[in-house]
Amino acid sequence: MSREKDYFEDKLNIIIVGCGKIGTTLIDLLCSEGHNITIIDKHQERIQRVTDLYDILGIVGNGATYSTLHEAGIEDADLMISVTQSDELNLLCCTIAKQFGDCHTIARVRSPEYSQEVHYLKEKLGLDLIINPEGDAALEASRILYLPATLEENPFAHGQGTIINTKITKSNILNGLTIEEFGKKGPKDMLICMVERNGDVMIPTADLKMQENDVISFSCARDAAKNFLKYLGINTKRVADCLLIGGSRLSYYLAKQLLAMGVDVKIIERDRKRCEELAKELPKAIIINGDGTDRALLNEEGVKKVESFVSLIGIDEENILLTLFVKQISNAKVITKINRYQFPEVLNSLDLGSIINPREMAAESITAYVRALYNTKDSDIETLYHMYHHRVEAIEFRVREESVITNVPLSNMNLKKDLLIAFINRGDRIIIPKGSDEIHPGDTVVIITTTTGFKSIEDILR
């Protein structure tokens, strides 16, 4: 759908159908970016709760009916997002919205059956974006288990470039080095672009001395990541096996990817019927019907010897306790699923390994799409990640035409504070930028910043 830039000069009119976990996360993010939000849900108490907290319009009703969408202002909407628990309802809401409004549409589709037909659904139903939070979370978890020394990996440039988080240990070669010293001694094909220390995140200056327990983010070409981790003295061997707790859709998606990587998978699930379904869907996995929080069962299934452990129960507190227990009794790489970040200070103080949050991943995809609606003809947002519990944004912009940021040495640019250019992707080449490098039309550029709200590559300039 073609639209002029000045159509989006001010706020977007956004309708959200579904006031569950993802819906409320979206409300929080999109309200903070200044948009006009209307929320639709069948449950009065949910609508009341969010309208008490945010300056938004709430409508109790069925988002798949024209009368409800008309009341919500579908004719004037710029974007309609449907994130109810039902895939079918989400697809229907977006289809009806396309019929009666000139708006972009985003649907949450989680079922494995539908997920195999994403391209067909987008084409035939005219959808602009389909999100699968569980599928995306499983993909991130599988990337982490492929490089278990990492805490988090954020791919860019269609997987050619990456930003990876890892923790500095006492024996790590970086311990005690300043950024400047590492720049002289270390590999030239990577860049340390963020440091977290004692809960504070910072874009490092040349004189910053790295130390034990710092979490660093480094950018590089993805095929260079293993070599850099080896340079740091970190074991880069992929895990051989994985114990998953909980038989949710996320477990299914993750198990399927791990099995394809040659990783042995065992799943413990309470519900017998779900176990039978998983046994049919994942014939190469071992499915155990039992309580994954039962210590005796965990010991019986070899939790002390397993190389990786992922807790995917629907209750955050159980996932946290299981992770802490496994960290005490084994050397397993652990991943913890957490849906709520109400107490980030507490979570930061716990050694939970890598954390995945499906609803935040869905919100990131949608936020990137919303910001891209502001794009100029010269640039737009390809990818967006929130890092360090929403305190840092990593954004990939595509530069389409010449502008004030093209063909100028980076050293001559008046960049905003608290911002760093992590890398430039040119064709199939990842460029770790130096002051003499330039941005060219056709490049994608990844920036990392502690300032939020960037909508265009030109926003990097003061």
Side-chain angles (χ1 to χ4, degrees), residues 269 271-283 287-289:
E269 162 60 33
D271 185 81
R272 185 172 186 81
K273 184 178 178 182
R274 180 57 179 158
C275 285
E276 293 171 354
E277 293 171 351
L278 288 170
K280 292 179 182 177
E281 295 168 345
L282 301 166
I287 313 298
I288 308 295
N289 180 213

Side-chain angles (χ1 to χ4, degrees), residues 189-224:
D189 57 353
M190 54 75 55
L191 177 69
I192 296 175
C193 47
M194 188 65 63
V195 175
E196 181 187 41
R197 177 178 297 166
N198 300 325
D200 295 324
V201 292
M202 63 197 98
I203 292 175
T205 54
D207 59 350
L208 178 72
K209 181 178 287 188
M210 293 172 281
Q211 61 189 40
E212 182 182 358
N213 293 324
D214 283 353
V215 174
I216 64 163
S217 298
F218 67 89
S219 60
C220 63
R222 194 167 193 272
D223 57 10

